[in-house]
Amino acid sequence: MSATRRLSAYVASLSYDDLPTEAIAKAKDCLLDYIAYTSFGCDEDPAHILGIAFREMGGREECTVIGQDWRLPAINAAFLNGATGHMTELDDTHRGTGSHPGDSILPAALAMAEVQHASGKDLIAAIVSGYEADIRVGEAVMPGHYSKGWHISGTINTFGAAVAAGKLLNLDATAMTHNMGIASGQAAG
């Protein structure tokens, strides 16, 4: 079985009840930290510009935009919340990969959880699954990936966001493998 299939099977089967107490606490800390630094970034000029652009695009007002009193379609809310989270450079960093996983995983997970009306436990399991995939993929390609000119947050975080969203869609192992394959085709553009 390939590494992708093994990882897909693992994250697809992972449940809240499987998580150690430390992982649950860390996921909650990452989520609270993300909401705080994204709230801080929502007053940045680029956040306002993106907000105007996304609001002009229209669509269903289905997901929360952190720090705002208006809503956007899920994909646009996730994009804006992720971008806003990275604007002030207060975001989390994984030392082993040099990535900022929270800016991709957390907005994707929050938007999908909101659309799916997921429980808090499902959200936490999705966050942990996203970080697990993100960091494993990152450690598999670093340090050479970065030295070849790739921006690690723009490439490996795609996997973490896709896994977190896929987890909230209850993808099975096969569908999660396809999900990760699609993510690989979208990594960094």
Side-chain angles (χ1 to χ4, degrees), residues 102-122:
D103 290 337
S104 300
I105 296 165
L106 296 166
L110 286 169
M112 189 56 65
E114 198 165 1
V115 168
Q116 294 293 105
H117 307 286
S119 70
K121 288 181 177 182
D122 289 341

Side-chain angles (χ1 to χ4, degrees), residues 7-32:
L7 180 57
S8 296
Y10 175 71
V11 295
S13 68
L14 191 65
S15 74
Y16 181 88
D17 294 334
D18 297 328
L19 301 175
T21 305
E22 298 82 18
I24 294 167
K26 185 65 172 179
K28 290 177 181 179
D29 285 347
C30 287
L31 181 58
L32 289 172

